[in-house]
Amino acid sequence: MRHIDLIVVHCSATRCNQHFPVTALIRCHQDRFGFTGYHYYITRNGQVYQTRHEQLVGAHARGYNQHSLGVCYEGGLDRYGRPADTRTARQKRALLRLLKQLKAEHPQATIVGHRDLPGVNKACPCFDARKEYRF
C-alpha cells in the first residue's frame, strides 16, 4: 500500500469557455504518458471521475508522484487563455467533498496546489489551494 502524504490540486489549463470532458483528459494523458496521470478529475458540472487507482503512482507532479494523489478540475484559464480561478460552484462543492474524503483516508497528507511545490513555475491550479483547504 502506498504511503500518501501529499494531495496535489491541479487545473486542466483549459479555457473556461471550452469543454474538456474526462475522455479528452484521458486521451491527452494516454498520448503523453501512456496512462492517466491524475487520480481524480472534476468536470464543470461537478462530476467526479476517478481516472487512476490511488495505489498506482500518477504523473502529475514531478518528484512527488511516488507519495501523492493528483486531483484536477476542468478549467483554470479564462476565455482569453490567462490563468484564472474558473471553478464553478458545483466544482467547488465537489472538490471540497472529495478533498475532505481523501484527507479522512490519508490524515497525514497535506493539501497543496501544484504551484506550491518547490521548483514549479506554473499558476496551476490558479487559486490558493493551500489556504482554501487548510483542514
Side-chain angles (χ1 to χ4, degrees):
M1 189 156 160
R2 282 194 326 131
H3 173 74
I4 304 300
D5 63 11
L6 198 60
I7 300 168
V8 184
V9 180
H10 299 266
C11 65
S12 63
T14 52
R15 294 177 188 224
C16 63
N17 59 342
Q18 295 175 342
H19 189 53
F20 194 66
V22 68
T23 53
L25 173 85
I26 291 169
R27 187 172 46 254
C28 177
H29 277 216
Q30 286 287 347
D31 291 347
R32 189 170 172 198
F33 306 117
F35 60 90
T36 304
Y38 300 121
H39 294 90
Y40 295 94
Y41 185 60
I42 304 171
T43 54
R44 284 192 180 87
N45 66 357
Q47 180 69 44
V48 177
Y49 295 90
Q50 184 169 3
T51 52
R52 185 161 187 78
H53 193 282
E54 288 185 19
Q55 290 307 310
L56 298 174
V57 175
H60 60 92
R62 181 172 285 152
Y64 299 91
N65 292 317
Q66 291 292 334
H67 56 93
S68 69
L69 296 175
V71 176
C72 180
Y73 76 92
E74 179 184 6
L77 301 178
D78 68 15
R79 61 186 228 164
Y80 303 106
R82 296 179 300 225
D85 182 358
T86 62
R87 293 174 297 159
T88 65
R90 287 180 175 180
Q91 279 179 310
K92 287 181 181 183
R93 286 191 301 272
L95 186 55
L96 178 62
R97 193 169 41 253
L98 175 61
L99 291 175
K100 283 184 175 183
Q101 173 191 328
L102 293 175
K103 184 71 172 164
E105 294 169 5
H106 308 281
Q108 70 284 358
T110 302
I111 300 170
V112 299
H114 189 195
R115 71 184 191 180
D116 298 321
L117 298 174
V120 174
N121 295 314
K122 298 179 178 189
C124 176
C126 303
F127 69 95
D128 192 346
R130 203 169 29 187
K131 181 179 177 185
E132 189 166 331
Y133 302 114
R134 191 178 302 170
F135 46 77

